[in-house]
Structure formats: C-alpha cells, structure tokens
Amino acid sequence: MRTVEVNLIGVMRTAAATVPALVDRGGYLLIVSSAAAFAALPGMAACCASKAGVEQFGNAVRLELAHRGVAVGTAHPSWVDTDLVREARADLPAFETALAKLPWPLRRTTTVTECAEAFVRAIERRSRRVYVPRAVAGVQAMRSVLVSPLADRLVGRTARATVPLIEEQSRALGRGFGVSTPQGRP
C-alpha cells in the first residue's frame, strides 16, 4: 500500500497543489511514471500498478488542463541508479539475477544525471512523453505483446523460481530492503 500511496497518490496530490500556478502561467507539468507502467513484472505488482496509474492520470490530466493552456507530459524511465535500486540489488541477489534476465533496454540502469538531463529536455520542449533511455519508447510500443498470454507463459516460467527467492531473501533481511528505506511502515 505504501508504494501506491507514494507513487500514485503522492503524484495526484502534488499535481492538484500545482494546478492553480500552472494555469496562471500556462505552465507545463511533467509527471514521473516508469517503464514499469508498460509491463507486468513479477515481484513488482504494486510498483507496476501504481506507475500504470500515474501514466493514465497524466493522460487524463493532459486532456483536462489543455483548454486552460497547461501542457502535461509523462516520464518513463527504466532503472535509475538511485539508492533504492542499488540497495535492492545489494540486498536481494534474486532481484539482481531477475534484472539481468530482462530484455534490453529494461535491464539497463541509467545514471541520475542522464535521467535529469532527459527530464530537463522534456520540460524545455513541453514533451508529451519522455523515455529514459530513449529505447524504452519501443517497450511502450510493444506493451500489448508484453501483457499477452504468450508473455504470461514466458515470464511465468522465470517468476515461479524468482519470486519465491525474492520473497525469501526479503524475509531474511528482517526489515524492508535498503538501509535508506524508511522502516516505519510496510
């Protein structure tokens, strides 16, 4: 639930708080979704669901605010080299293994600088979408294949082994993964 609260509800609250200023200035809102919005990744249900929700929220808000002179874009980065990703890799060897098995560009980790530069370009251009790396656009274009019965069979084979390992490794930590992750709420 915390993932959904942060990823989706937090985005909605932030957007709502900024709308008056955006309307006053004919501004631009860049909402951060993820490549996780395009495919179901075993072990990441809350992340995938919340990021798909963010994407659709951005699509709806774009239409709702267009007549008021506000442009809205959505950002879809793959893995960004943040504490969260580094700590998941360090704490959960099965996560590292699963990440390595993802097809390119979904297994690629992007630097924070590369991601920030792409976001700045998107803001300057008032882009409808930004993909980091750019090849994530191809993943978005193939999303119907990524959630097809064939994909379910292929991914399901890996998930049968990987998800129990990630769950076991998470329980063995005795805490949320990542030393930077707040431990107060699950």
Side-chain angles (χ1 to χ4, degrees):
M1 294 301 276
R2 181 74 175 142
T3 299
V4 174
E5 289 173 3
V6 171
N7 289 355
L8 179 57
I9 306 301
V11 165
M12 295 171 80
R13 287 185 175 149
T14 301
T18 63
V19 166
L22 292 168
V23 170
D24 287 347
R25 293 170 182 80
Y28 172 78
L29 176 63
L30 181 62
I31 296 175
V32 180
S33 178
S34 169
F38 306 144
L41 300 172
M44 295 185 53
C47 180
C48 293
S50 61
K51 292 302 189 174
V54 169
E55 178 190 23
Q56 290 306 318
F57 175 73
N59 291 337
V61 169
R62 179 184 305 110
L63 298 170
E64 292 173 5
L65 295 178
H67 75 281
R68 299 177 80 185
V70 176
V72 177
T74 55
H76 302 274
S78 187
W79 305 101
V80 179
D81 186 28
T82 61
D83 289 346
L84 179 73
V85 172
R86 282 191 300 276
E87 291 170 4
R89 292 172 105 161
D91 284 348
L92 307 169
F95 172 78
E96 179 72 20
T97 300
L99 183 61
K101 290 180 181 178
L102 289 173
W104 181 87
L106 294 179
R107 69 174 170 253
R108 179 170 178 240
T109 302
T110 304
T111 67
V112 170
T113 300
E114 183 181 355
C115 189
E117 288 170 351
F119 284 14
V120 168
R121 281 190 306 275
I123 292 166
E124 290 170 346
R125 298 173 183 165
R126 299 171 65 100
S127 299
R128 186 175 187 275
R129 290 190 187 267
V130 58
Y131 304 99
V132 184
R134 289 183 194 186
V136 169
V139 177
Q140 191 268 339
M142 295 179 50
R143 74 190 312 162
S144 62
V145 173
L146 297 172
V147 294
S148 70
L150 173 62
D152 285 357
R153 283 192 296 278
L154 295 173
V155 175
R157 284 186 211 146
T158 302
R160 279 190 290 278
T162 304
V163 172
L165 278 174
I166 291 173
E167 290 170 344
E168 178 185 321
Q169 291 168 2
S170 294
R171 279 191 301 275
L173 289 171
R175 58 170 169 76
F177 73 83
V179 294
S180 300
T181 304
Q183 303 302 319
R185 293 176 66 175

